[in-house]
Amino acid sequence: MRPARRDTPRTLPARLLTGLAALIGLVLVGALCPGAALAQSPAARSAGVPSAGAQAAGLHIGDGRLLEGNGNDFVMRGVNHAHTWYPGETQSLADVKALGANSVRVVLSDGHRWSENGPADVAAVIEQCKANRLICVLEVHDTTGYGEDAAAGTLDHAADYWMGLKDVLAGQEDYVIVNIGNEPWGNTDPAGWTEPTVAAVKKLRAAGLQHTIMVDAPNWGQDWQGVMRANARSVYDADPTGNLIFSIHMYSVFDTAQEITDYLNAFVDAELPILIGEFGGPADQYGDPDEDTMMATAEQLRLGYLAWSWSGNTDPVLDLALDFDPSRLSGWGERIFHGVNGIAQTSEEATVYGDGAPDDTEAPTAPGTPSATAVTDTSVTLGWAAATDDTAVSGYDVVLVGDGTSSTVASSTTTTATVTGLTAATTYTFAVHARDAAGNRSARSATVEVTTDGGGTPGGACSVGYRVVGEWPGGFQGEIAVRNTGSAAIGPWTLAFAFADGQTVTNMWGGTATQDAGAVNVAPASYTATIPAGGTVTLGFTARKGDTNTAPAAFRLNGAACATP
């Protein structure tokens, strides 16, 4: 297991959860209503008065929206990437672009808590973002949880760091947003967030920084006490350029649709710019974030979102890609990149990368027919001849074909990909699509049938317990306990079962689920890959459902039936 990289709570301590919804709702929308300062009133707009950020070069704010230098509305669709802890994973920027992202939020350190990312390193990150046609949000992570976490640094120290990078940042206003500090206040006296936030903004503007500035909320970014919401107007008015955007981080505090829509609409109604700078979907012991509403509302309101995070999390349930491998997306990754209102469906590249050329509407040619180059009982590696495009092919999607439908099971930036989580001794049909940087997708290649091996440790000596942990309209959380009742360890393993009522797994921890119609196959996580004799591994998941939610009738481990007590 990788060492810890992120020492910040993604959720609130249990003692603070009581009454969260009420606390968030206590902050009146009136506290956000437009004042006489930088945001324009409708009357001013109709009179033709320029918006505060209209004269800014590069990315700027106008009428509560993030705009490019040419005035084009820019809606971020991207992910967070832990660069400061994984400086060697530079390929990640190309990988997230190939999956359709138009932006990336890059974790940096100002040297207070972790090793400082110096000017040469930051300049290289910016160039990599530009080479991959991504808008780059740069953030200092050392401020996380200040006031509650004794190791956290101050916003003032972070501002000094950005001032030290002034020469690196100069001229990059079209491509870079400066996120002063990540989650710069914990749950201890979050009202203390406002004054140092205003001071840091003024300090950067006095130093001549013209970039759009992003500020994170207190309460570990989740603002559950409404401090940022109540003080957003005064913070915004403190920026003489008007080029400031607010960032809310949405995890288990935001577990109902009402909380999400109320919060985001309060800013939109007040014409104060906002985006979801981090969010998670997998459930934890504190709650189950409603990522579906987050993404749907962001799309409806045309607000940006940046999912946490590409790879390398202490808790791998938040990894979008396993071990930084774009061909091994987790269930969370599939949801973000290929799900409803996801990146592939909604992302639009920044026009600054268009160089004035017409929009690319021509799809690549279909790739060659895939062939199996390696087959095991639970995986297959496929290869195919490259597609061609009028600009460039940026990636490929491998799809599982069946019953007149297809679903993406792997993605790659090369002409090979490995599909995992398959069932032993089972025949599958695969095909491949090519994609270009503009998001155009080719016609499907010809198909290939592959039958997996029957290997692996026999799974007949097993029993499976299935239970529903909780239900809500349209969804539920389930748990599957797989017990090895034999005298020898089982591993590697694949668990197969089927839902009868149209249930669809959205996230899973302890394993990775792939689903074709009602049929579900689960491959283990690294920490559940072996089931010792007499031992049990437990899988948790969330899923969508309709009016009925019948439990699976049977389970098979490595192709053999398990008892269902």
Side-chain angles (χ1 to χ4, degrees):
M1 180 175 291
R2 296 183 184 273
R5 281 78 56 192
R6 182 174 175 83
D7 300 322
T8 65
R10 297 290 84 227
T11 50
L12 297 174
R15 70 180 186 276
L16 295 174
L17 290 175
T18 304
L20 282 181
L23 283 168
I24 291 175
L26 283 175
V27 183
L28 298 177
V29 174
L32 295 174
C33 286
L38 296 176
Q40 285 186 299
S41 69
R45 288 200 305 278
S46 64
V49 179
S51 60
Q55 305 306 314
L59 291 159
H60 62 281
I61 302 301
D63 297 332
R65 305 289 303 170
L66 177 63
L67 307 176
E68 294 188 67
N70 62 3
N72 186 68
D73 203 45
F74 182 68
V75 180
M76 280 188 253
R77 289 287 181 265
V79 303
N80 288 262
H81 171 54
H83 172 74
T84 197
W85 302 306
Y86 297 102
E89 296 292 346
T90 55
Q91 176 63 30
S92 295
L93 299 183
D95 291 338
V96 299
K97 176 61 179 182
L99 288 165
N102 65 14
S103 47
V104 62
R105 182 171 178 257
V106 180
V107 176
L108 301 176
S109 172
D110 64 6
H112 176 84
R113 185 168 185 176
W114 297 284
S115 297
E116 179 179 338
N117 296 99
D121 184 34
V122 175
V125 167
I126 294 171
E127 289 309 307
Q128 289 159 6
C129 284
K130 292 167 68 175
N132 288 290
R133 304 167 74 89
L134 293 163
I135 295 301
C136 197
V137 180
L138 302 177
E139 61 104 338
V140 164
H141 215 76
D142 307 65
T143 57
T144 307
Y146 181 80
E148 184 174 353
D149 189 337
T154 65
L155 280 171
D156 186 63
H157 189 270
D160 288 342
Y161 172 75
W162 294 118
M163 290 164 60
L165 293 172
K166 184 178 177 181
D167 289 345
V168 171
L169 298 172
Q172 305 298 334
E173 290 85 356
D174 275 313
Y175 309 97
V176 172
I177 293 173
V178 174
N179 190 178
I180 306 178
N182 181 70
E183 301 177 2
W185 214 275
N187 293 319
T188 303
D189 187 28
W193 165 90
T194 305
E195 184 177 343
T197 299
V198 166
V201 171
K202 288 182 175 180
K203 190 172 191 177
L204 292 180
R205 294 309 188 204
L209 224 68
Q210 296 298 311
H211 302 71
T212 295
I213 287 176
M214 184 182 295
V215 295
D216 284 7
N219 293 129
W220 301 91
Q222 298 195 79
D223 200 29
W224 64 272
Q225 290 176 293
V227 172
M228 185 172 83
R229 182 171 167 177
N231 293 279
R233 173 60 57 194
S234 62
V235 173
Y236 185 83
D237 288 352
D239 182 357
T241 73
N243 293 318
L244 182 145
I245 187 169
F246 296 94
S247 173
I248 182 67
H249 293 184
M250 290 187 166
Y251 292 95
S252 58
V253 165
F254 292 91
D255 57 358
T256 69
Q258 191 71 47
E259 290 164 334
I260 295 162
T261 57
D262 281 356
Y263 196 94
L264 296 177
N265 274 294
F267 280 78
V268 172
D269 290 346
E271 295 184 355
L272 287 167
I274 191 168
L275 84 159
I276 306 174
E278 286 185 21
F279 68 107
D284 57 30
Q285 67 266 40
Y286 300 112
D288 183 10
D290 184 0
E291 71 276 14
D292 290 343
T293 297
M294 296 175 201
M295 297 167 72
T297 306
E299 180 63 13
Q300 176 193 359
L301 299 175
R302 298 291 288 161
L303 303 179
Y305 66 63
L306 300 165
W308 187 274
S309 80
W310 178 239
S311 197
N313 285 282
T314 305
D315 184 353
V317 73
L318 285 169
D319 283 353
L320 296 161
L322 306 181
D323 294 322
F324 296 92
D325 184 348
S327 70
R328 299 174 60 210
L329 294 182
S330 66
W332 175 224
E334 287 288 348
R335 174 70 187 92
I336 289 299
F337 287 106
H338 301 305
V340 176
N341 297 311
I343 286 174
Q345 187 180 95
T346 65
S347 176
E348 298 178 15
E349 186 177 84
T351 59
V352 71
Y353 293 116
D355 300 322
D359 291 339
D360 179 8
T361 59
E362 183 175 336
T365 62
T369 305
S371 60
T373 57
V375 180
T376 71
D377 55 323
T378 59
S379 67
V380 57
T381 298
L382 300 171
W384 54 88
T388 60
D389 187 57
D390 61 326
T391 55
V393 174
S394 61
Y396 296 90
D397 296 323
V398 178
V399 294
L400 179 65
V401 181
D403 298 326
T405 63
S406 64
S407 57
T408 302
V409 292
S411 297
S412 176
T413 56
T414 68
T415 56
T416 63
T418 299
V419 183
T420 60
L422 305 179
T423 302
T426 303
T427 299
Y428 295 91
T429 302
F430 298 104
V432 184
H433 293 273
R435 287 179 280 102
D436 63 19
N440 299 307
R441 200 182 199 200
S442 75
R444 198 174 74 190
S445 72
T447 60
V448 62
E449 285 192 353
V450 180
T451 301
T452 52
D453 293 341
T457 307
C462 59
S463 65
V464 174
Y466 176 93
R467 72 185 184 101
V468 172
V469 177
E471 290 191 70
W472 54 91
F476 71 102
Q477 180 177 336
E479 182 179 277
I480 303 171
V482 185
R483 180 171 176 77
N484 178 1
T485 58
S487 58
I490 297 177
W493 56 265
T494 300
L495 182 71
F497 60 92
F499 285 122
D501 300 321
Q503 301 98 319
T504 304
V505 175
T506 54
N507 292 296
M508 178 170 282
W509 49 102
T512 301
T514 57
Q515 187 165 349
D516 182 15
V520 180
N521 289 290
V522 180
S526 58
Y527 55 91
T528 59
T530 300
I531 312 175
T536 300
V537 297
T538 301
L539 312 172
F541 67 93
T542 56
R544 299 187 186 92
K545 69 173 184 68
D547 294 335
T548 55
N549 188 19
T550 307
F555 295 85
R556 301 183 71 85
L557 191 66
N558 288 350
C562 294
T564 52

